[in-house]
Amino acid sequence: MVPSANKYPKLNGLILIGGRSKRMGFPKERIEWHGKQQRYYLCDLLAPYCTDVYISCREDQCIDLAPGYDSLPDMYPNTGPLGGIITALIFQPERAWLVLACDLPLLCKTTLDLLIQQRTPKLIATAFKSPIDGLPEPLFAIWEPHSYPFILEQMTQQGQKSPRHILLTHQIHLLDPPDRDSLVNVNTPTDADRAKTLLLTRNQGR
């Protein structure tokens, strides 16, 4: 028997903005793709799905967040997004975390709905295949509470900082994205120009 959704660990949202955006040249989380800064747009997007939503960030990024948005400073600086994920799992270990990178401007509700609907709590994570290489996309994924010891072991005993490596070495629920553009990462000005074109085309088609 499949357990009912209300028996699953409650789901929190985690928006990752702790990167330095060196390739972009300015903070990616501040770009206004949808009429507001991306960090706030994504928080608002996840809010209906999650019990609480937090912005995972560096200590110095906490001071300028708008009222009504909660920060979760990274306890493991210089470890990349994995530090933000494990910080969240330590902060509320009974919760699952819907982890979302701030550089996905084309994320659509259809893709988000599918991730929620296909969540498989008995495995450590539910994630989409990258449209580029078919490998798990760890920064738009649901990480279950029992992923914590595996992450901790990888970090402390093996020095592994790649969240994708953890997904590759454990059983997860891997999904095909219904909209490949939803997983397009924007890391450079060239990427941003392409994303603007894709967004314009999408909006004109509505």
Side-chain angles (χ1 to χ4, degrees), residues 56-75:
S56 172
C57 59
R58 305 185 307 272
E59 286 280 358
D60 62 284
Q61 293 175 300
C62 296
I63 58 174
D64 71 339
L65 290 182
Y69 294 94
D70 295 319
S71 64
L72 186 58
D74 195 341
M75 296 170 54

Side-chain angles (χ1 to χ4, degrees), residues 5-202:
N6 59 9
K7 294 183 180 179
Y8 293 170
K10 290 183 178 180
L11 185 64
N12 278 358
L14 189 70
I15 310 301
L16 300 172
I17 71 165
R20 299 285 180 176
S21 301
K22 292 181 179 179
R23 287 182 288 170
M24 182 64 74
F26 50 88
K28 292 182 289 186
E29 71 272 10
R30 296 175 182 267
I31 300 175
E32 296 189 11
W33 299 103
H34 305 279
K36 64 178 68 175
Q37 291 186 19
Q38 181 72 348
R39 52 183 171 174
Y40 304 135
Y41 171 78
L42 293 178
C43 284
D44 295 344
L45 183 66
L46 293 194
Y49 300 89
C50 299
T51 303
D52 299 298
V53 180
Y54 295 88
I55 295 177
S56 172
C57 59
R58 305 185 307 272
E59 286 280 358
D60 62 284
Q61 293 175 300
C62 296
I63 58 174
D64 71 339
L65 290 182
Y69 294 94
D70 295 319
S71 64
L72 186 58
D74 195 341
M75 296 170 54
Y76 293 85
N78 304 315
T79 57
L82 194 60
I85 295 171
I86 197 169
T87 295
L89 289 165
I90 291 171
F91 173 64
Q92 290 190 347
E94 77 285 358
R95 299 283 176 88
W97 291 85
L98 200 172
V99 174
L100 185 56
C102 67
D103 56 2
L104 298 171
L106 294 161
L107 174 64
C108 66
K109 188 176 181 297
T110 299
T111 307
L112 184 55
D113 284 342
L114 181 63
L115 183 69
I116 300 292
Q117 293 164 5
Q118 294 296 315
R119 178 186 173 192
T120 308
K122 67 179 181 180
L123 304 179
I124 70 163
T126 303
F128 285 108
K129 296 177 183 177
S130 166
I132 297 174
D133 53 22
L135 298 177
E137 176 48 71
L139 305 186
F140 177 30
I142 296 174
W143 293 76
E144 298 295 339
H146 58 280
S147 66
Y148 170 74
F150 302 108
I151 297 174
L152 184 64
E153 179 186 10
Q154 292 282 331
M155 287 182 61
T156 60
Q157 298 184 23
Q158 301 184 31
Q160 179 58 249
K161 298 181 181 180
S162 169
R164 173 172 281 181
H165 177 82
I166 294 171
L167 297 187
L168 285 170
T169 52
H170 293 83
Q171 188 177 7
I172 66 170
H173 189 185
L174 193 58
L175 307 171
D176 290 309
D179 176 9
R180 292 168 58 89
D181 288 343
S182 285
L183 300 182
V184 169
N185 296 102
V186 173
N187 294 304
T188 68
T190 299
D191 292 342
D193 289 341
R194 177 172 177 263
K196 290 176 184 176
T197 300
L198 290 170
L199 275 173
L200 181 60
T201 301
R202 176 186 288 178

